[in-house]
Amino acid sequence: MRKIFVYLILTSAASLNALGQQNMTLYHMTTSPQQLYANPSFIPDAEWFIGIPGASSHHYNMAFTRLDINDFLNAVEKPAPDSSVLNVSKLTNLFGENNYMGLQYNLDLIHFGLKVKNSYITGNISVHNNFQMNVPGDLFKFLFEGNGGKNLGEEFDFGLGIDFLEYTEIGIGYATRLLDDRLMIGARGKFIKGLAALETQRNDISFYTDPNDFTLKVRSDLRFNMANSYTDISDPNNNDDWKTPGSAADLFRTNNTGWGLDLGAKMKVNSRIEISGAINNLGWINWNKHTKNYFSANPGAYIEYDGVDYKEIFDTTGSFKEAFEQVGDSLKKQLALDSSYAGFQTDLRPEFYIGGTLEVIENHRAGILFYGSLYQHKLYPAFTLSWNSKLNNVVALSASYTLIHGTYTNIGLGFTLNGGPVQFYFVSDNLFGAFDVRSSSVVNFRTGLNLTFGRKKEVEPGNVF
Amino acid sequence: MLNQRNARFLFFFVGFFVFISAGCVRDLIDTADELGDIKSVKWNPVLAIPLVKTELTPDDLLKQYNIDVVRTDDEDLLHFIYESKFISVQADEIFSIPDQNNNFSFILGPIGATALQNSGSYTATIPITIDFTIADIEIDSMILKTCDQILQMTSSIQHDIAVVARFPDIFRNGTPYSISFNSPYSGSAHNVARNASLAGAKFICTNGPQGYNQIRINLDLTFTKRGSNPINSTDMVAFTNQFNNNQFRVFWGLGKTSTLFQTNDSIEITIFSNRTQGSFSVVNPRFVVKFANSFGAKINGDINNLYTWNPQIGDEVLTGIPSPLPIPSPTNAQMGMILYDSFVLDNNNSNITSVINNLPHGVYYDFNAIINPPGNSNRNFVLDTSRFETDVYVDIPLNGTASDFVLERIQDFELDIDSTIDKVEYALFRINVDNGFPVDLGFQLYFEKDDGTLIDTMFEDQLTIESGELDANGKVIRAVNTIEDVKVTNEKYERLKTATKMRVRARLDTRTDGGGNQDPVKFYSEYRMGLKIGVQTKLSIISN
């Protein structure tokens, strides 16, 4: 067990690109129907529910590689007591090997569910926005320190990655109890209307300085795919490459479509222990309309620049300046981007959860959760320990501790408050994110209002969560 | 309602939240204070870029010292060639044929008058020889590329005249040339002129009594009586014959004695005149004089006072000049050809090796050449394009040894960079040389003021570049790599900015063996020196 724990810590520390749509605290928070987005096999304790349209779920998720502001402050020099100088060359430590920033905003337009005998049927219409950018630390290192000194002979990775995905999701879910209620399984099918996309398909740019003679070697292989359902970016006469929806109807008016599927299961091992798992966001979006691609004219071309030919200066161009300009033109040509209008496909960022709970005290459960997100064939994991307490039929509280994005200070909190059928909920995986600018790397919360009907009046041991 | 246990859990959750929030707000305030004090931004990147790459040939390197006289021989061995060339004017600027003007006449006489009176016509044939007047040239024959002839007849005789002028010594297209015309009497005196171009015609000038510079004319004059006009025995017909605009293509005969060259000349040997110190020895230097001649005439030439000069040693006589000089002349059968000959002063016939190894700065000499020297009676030919050329050069093969041999040049210098860069903390120049030359090289840059005051040097001692790897014959078989760093600090940079001149000093040394001997090495044209220079600079950029 200890080995597994150490492994989880290490893999989590490496998960710098791990912005998924993770619901680490929500996953074990059974009093909110939004738990269904984490695992479609979960069956809410209400006979039926409906989210307040447009207000049932606002899910914000901002994550970025942890920047230690102390590293920033260490770069501030004080030549005089009343003045400070920021030495940017000392800022390199501020950034890691990969520096990630991701922004997500998911909005439920419609969300409802109802119990039918031993099963539960749900439906939703949601809008997903997902932006992420990965800036290699080498880029900062190059800017702050230059390519000389200790960086001679080092191969810089300038592979900047930017991805953006916006789509409307129309989902239908079904969950049912089996094996005398000891097993619950569920699935949710999703029809996707793709709205806009920017995909970095290839971003291989390397830069090397030969320590013997400072020869510069550059290799480039880039490909970016773009699509926008709101404007025809494949029209060469259209200069408006990026446009946002003008009305709600625009969220559905698109020919770029796709499909998605969530699968989940939950099993009672005994009266105190439950285990569960889910695989979500299996699927894709085909972008065939209003597309544009930018790609390297000479993919993988290896360009070497070892100085201006001395003879060329004196025999041809007559000056260093002209010779350098000629070299610059040649490099630009080699690194130039071509464009096309081919279709492409993006996935929905598949993710999985594996978790379990242990009822420690009546109505108080400890939870454990392992999360993984797949992005560009890489696994980005996270790990959570949680505590979930249903204090009465009005208040339920959850607290969590999560390892994610290379940070270890993610303290989460969640609660639901029920007043009659009206339920207000709030859940966050990182409270520090909202308040602590010095060490925050994740700002994450989901909140909204539901109307729940037919909730169980009494808290029954062993069937609370 | 909450039971006691659940109330404790609620208290714990709320307390935990307040604790975290309070600490974070304090951090926010502290951070904001620290960031607010930042007045400027400093950036000290270390940038490394390649500046120059090149592959230098020996010729490229020597050009930097104004030594651009390198040639290769059949074995690709390099030679310094210091040369002076003399080219005579063309023959048609030395020899010319002036315009010719000849007058002659015929008187009818009593016999002619009687014959014309009685039979109504009379024909007379008159042989004439005319001179080609050309100073100092005896022409036996010639072909003219331009010649305009005018034959004019005047007469007061009051009867018709028919003229046939035959020129048996002038051939056009292989046929003797003639001209004819009629001049009927029209009531006034006869005055008739006929023009003709004799371009390309050949003139034979030896059939006159003089044996040269003369041609013959046979005139046939036919008089026909016109009515009862008077006939007088004193009636005369006068002729003027002109050959104008005469330019020869070739002439045979004997031209005048003419001076082609009479000059004092010198040849600078820059490899030595640019040297400031050191010794140099070559295996087989040569002094070569080449002649090229297309005159069919004899040319005599002589080289006198052949000396080298050297500021340290003074003048030294270069011995071995042959007499007479081997100047060739084409025979009649070789007309149109250029004949070559030469003589060489080398180890075998001259003191040139010892003289050259004294590193003279130049050679000087007197050179004279005349065509058709006095006393020469051999008939010959001259083409209009005939020339005489003399090529004099000192040939120093790059086959030898050099010891502490130093070359220098001075050039203007100015150093400044972008003023937005407040400070260059240092610039490190990385010099990467693949030396495929058979000599050790030492370089130094001296930065000076206009008056020669030394401000600084680029290298602490000098940049030493090791010779290429040699085989037993002194030929480079592999280049040797040398990497040298030169750090220019900010203080040095500031000093260099005050310099206005840069003196570039190169020192050459051939390898010395274990016994202290220097075996000769050979410089071949295939030798290359790869040179790359990159700079690594630490900048200090401050933005307020």
Side-chain angles (χ1 to χ4, degrees), chain A residues 154-386:
Chain A
E154 181 165 322
E155 183 148 1
F156 286 96
D157 172 15
F158 289 164
L160 179 72
I162 300 177
D163 289 275
F164 176 74
L165 194 60
E166 181 183 31
Y167 60 90
T168 303
E169 171 190 304
I170 302 165
I172 299 293
Y174 176 79
T176 188
R177 299 174 194 270
L178 300 171
L179 305 176
D180 297 330
D181 293 349
R182 284 189 292 113
L183 175 66
M184 288 181 280
I185 59 171
R188 191 153 57 97
K190 298 183 279 194
F191 177 59
I192 307 295
K193 302 284 273 186
L195 302 177
L198 167 62
E199 181 194 40
T200 304
Q201 187 173 338
R202 292 196 301 271
N203 62 343
D204 181 12
I205 303 180
S206 67
F207 182 93
Y208 175 81
T209 307
D210 191 312
N212 291 323
D213 51 24
F214 307 154
T215 294
L216 306 178
K217 297 174 182 175
V218 183
R219 191 180 67 244
S220 165
D221 185 5
L222 302 175
R223 186 180 178 91
F224 300 99
N225 299 316
M226 296 168 61
N228 190 329
S229 296
Y230 311 125
T231 182
D232 187 3
I233 60 175
S234 62
D235 180 359
N237 298 319
N238 181 9
N239 295 321
D240 191 3
D241 266 10
W242 206 252
K243 201 172 178 182
T244 53
S247 66
D250 286 344
L251 299 175
F252 304 97
R253 192 181 297 135
T254 169
N255 291 317
N256 294 313
T257 59
W259 295 93
L261 180 66
D262 300 343
L263 298 171
K266 179 179 176 184
M267 185 175 174
K268 292 179 182 174
V269 178
N270 56 39
S271 61
R272 298 178 64 193
I273 297 175
E274 289 180 352
I275 57 172
S276 61
I279 301 175
N280 300 333
N281 294 331
L282 300 171
W284 65 90
I285 304 174
N286 290 317
W287 303 89
N288 295 316
K289 299 288 183 183
H290 299 183
T291 59
K292 197 169 185 178
N293 325 95
Y294 292 98
F295 50 89
S296 295
N298 301 292
Y302 205 75
I303 301 161
E304 187 170 312
Y305 172 59
D306 53 4
V308 176
D309 194 322
Y310 172 85
K311 291 179 186 172
E312 202 169 289
I313 296 170
F314 292 100
D315 298 344
T316 311
T317 64
S319 77
F320 262 104
K321 188 182 173 190
E322 287 176 36
F324 277 125
E325 283 173 355
Q326 284 184 8
V327 170
D329 291 344
S330 172
L331 286 176
K332 277 184 202 168
K333 205 172 179 180
Q334 288 290 322
L335 296 173
L337 294 179
D338 279 349
S339 63
S340 68
Y341 304 97
F344 59 98
Q345 189 179 77
T346 57
D347 64 30
L348 299 178
R349 296 292 305 273
E351 61 182 9
F352 68 86
Y353 295 88
I354 299 172
T357 60
L358 169 67
E359 188 177 46
V360 181
I361 313 170
E362 184 183 353
N363 291 328
H364 299 275
R365 284 182 168 265
I368 185 169
L369 183 64
F370 181 65
Y371 168 83
S373 173
L374 285 172
Y375 177 55
Q376 293 186 345
H377 311 294
K378 288 182 183 174
L379 174 66
Y380 298 101
F383 174 72
T384 295
L385 296 173
S386 64

Side-chain angles (χ1 to χ4, degrees), chain A residues 72 84 86 88-89 143 145 147-149 152 211-214 306 308 310-311 361 364 391 397 438, chain B residues 5-6 13 16 28 31 34-35 37 39-40 42-44 46 48 50-51 53 55 60 64 430 532 536:
Chain A
F72 182 85
S84 300
L86 175 63
V88 295
S89 297
L143 289 174
E145 297 179 355
N147 62 328
L152 288 173
N212 291 323
D213 51 24
F214 307 154
D306 53 4
V308 176
Y310 172 85
K311 291 179 186 172
I361 313 170
H364 299 275
L391 305 183
L397 295 171
R438 287 201 171 201
Chain B
R5 187 183 67 194
N6 289 346
F13 279 116
F16 181 68
L28 270 174
T31 304
E34 289 177 59
L35 295 179
D37 284 342
K39 303 293 187 218
S40 59
K42 188 168 83 172
W43 184 35
N44 302 109
V46 182
L51 284 181
K53 65 153 184 195
E55 192 175 70
D60 294 329
Q64 302 311 305
R430 179 152 297 172
K532 290 182 178 178
Q536 178 173 284

Side-chain angles (χ1 to χ4, degrees), chain B residues 48-157:
Chain B
I49 57 168
L51 284 181
V52 170
K53 65 153 184 195
T54 195
E55 192 175 70
L56 295 172
T57 63
D59 197 24
D60 294 329
L61 196 65
L62 292 165
K63 273 180 184 172
Q64 302 311 305
Y65 297 91
N66 300 319
I67 301 166
D68 54 358
V69 287
V70 177
R71 291 184 196 162
T72 58
D73 64 16
D74 294 340
E75 296 176 352
D76 282 338
L77 181 68
L78 292 168
H79 295 242
F80 291 124
I81 302 293
Y82 300 97
E83 186 175 31
S84 188
K85 190 171 269 193
F86 304 93
I87 302 174
S88 73
V89 295
Q90 279 199 156
D92 56 7
E93 294 181 50
I94 301 172
F95 303 105
S96 61
I97 300 172
D99 292 345
Q100 303 294 315
N101 193 336
N102 297 95
N103 299 308
F104 44 90
S105 59
F106 170 76
I107 296 174
L108 187 60
I111 297 172
T114 303
L116 180 61
Q117 186 66 47
N118 294 337
S119 60
S121 71
Y122 172 68
T123 298
T125 298
I126 309 108
I128 299 166
T129 298
I130 61 174
D131 289 336
F132 257 80
T133 307
I134 309 171
D136 300 325
I137 303 179
E138 297 175 5
I139 294 179
D140 296 339
S141 60
M142 62 183 171
I143 296 173
L144 299 182
K145 55 186 179 185
T146 61
C147 176
D148 301 323
Q149 186 210 17
I150 303 171
L151 180 62
Q152 184 180 25
M153 181 196 76
T154 56
S155 177
S156 58
I157 193 165

Side-chain angles (χ1 to χ4, degrees), chain A residues 81-101:
Chain A
D82 58 343
S83 72
S84 300
V85 176
L86 175 63
N87 188 342
V88 295
S89 297
K90 292 183 177 177
L91 285 176
T92 306
N93 293 337
L94 191 61
F95 299 94
E97 185 179 345
N98 286 294
N99 300 277
Y100 176 81
M101 186 180 76

Side-chain angles (χ1 to χ4, degrees), chain A residues 31-212:
Chain A
T31 50
S32 169
Q34 275 68 28
Q35 187 197 25
L36 283 160
Y37 290 132
N39 189 327
S41 71
F42 291 163
I43 295 178
D45 59 354
E47 293 288 323
W48 63 283
F49 75 90
I50 181 166
I52 303 294
S56 66
S57 175
H58 293 269
H59 183 191
Y60 298 92
N61 198 6
M62 181 174 77
F64 45 89
T65 306
R66 177 176 175 270
L67 304 180
D68 188 340
I69 203 157
N70 291 319
D71 286 335
F72 182 85
L73 295 175
N74 287 339
V76 178
E77 298 171 350
K78 277 190 169 297
D82 58 343
S83 72
S84 300
V85 176
L86 175 63
N87 188 342
V88 295
S89 297
K90 292 183 177 177
L91 285 176
T92 306
N93 293 337
L94 191 61
F95 299 94
E97 185 179 345
N98 286 294
N99 300 277
Y100 176 81
M101 186 180 76
L103 296 169
Q104 279 188 315
Y105 173 59
N106 301 331
L107 169 68
D108 277 0
L109 300 176
I110 295 172
H111 190 200
F112 65 89
L114 70 160
K115 186 176 180 183
V116 178
K117 294 184 179 175
N118 212 27
S119 302
Y120 215 86
I121 296 172
T122 57
N124 73 291
I125 297 177
S126 311
V127 178
H128 293 254
N129 290 275
N130 189 341
F131 168 81
Q132 54 200 40
M133 180 170 70
N134 186 40
V135 184
D138 282 354
L139 195 57
F140 295 107
K141 193 173 188 178
F142 179 78
L143 289 174
F144 296 155
E145 297 179 355
N147 62 328
K150 62 186 172 66
N151 293 333
L152 288 173
E154 181 165 322
E155 183 148 1
F156 286 96
D157 172 15
F158 289 164
L160 179 72
I162 300 177
D163 289 275
F164 176 74
L165 194 60
E166 181 183 31
Y167 60 90
T168 303
E169 171 190 304
I170 302 165
I172 299 293
Y174 176 79
T176 188
R177 299 174 194 270
L178 300 171
L179 305 176
D180 297 330
D181 293 349
R182 284 189 292 113
L183 175 66
M184 288 181 280
I185 59 171
R188 191 153 57 97
K190 298 183 279 194
F191 177 59
I192 307 295
K193 302 284 273 186
L195 302 177
L198 167 62
E199 181 194 40
T200 304
Q201 187 173 338
R202 292 196 301 271
N203 62 343
D204 181 12
I205 303 180
S206 67
F207 182 93
Y208 175 81
T209 307
D210 191 312
N212 291 323

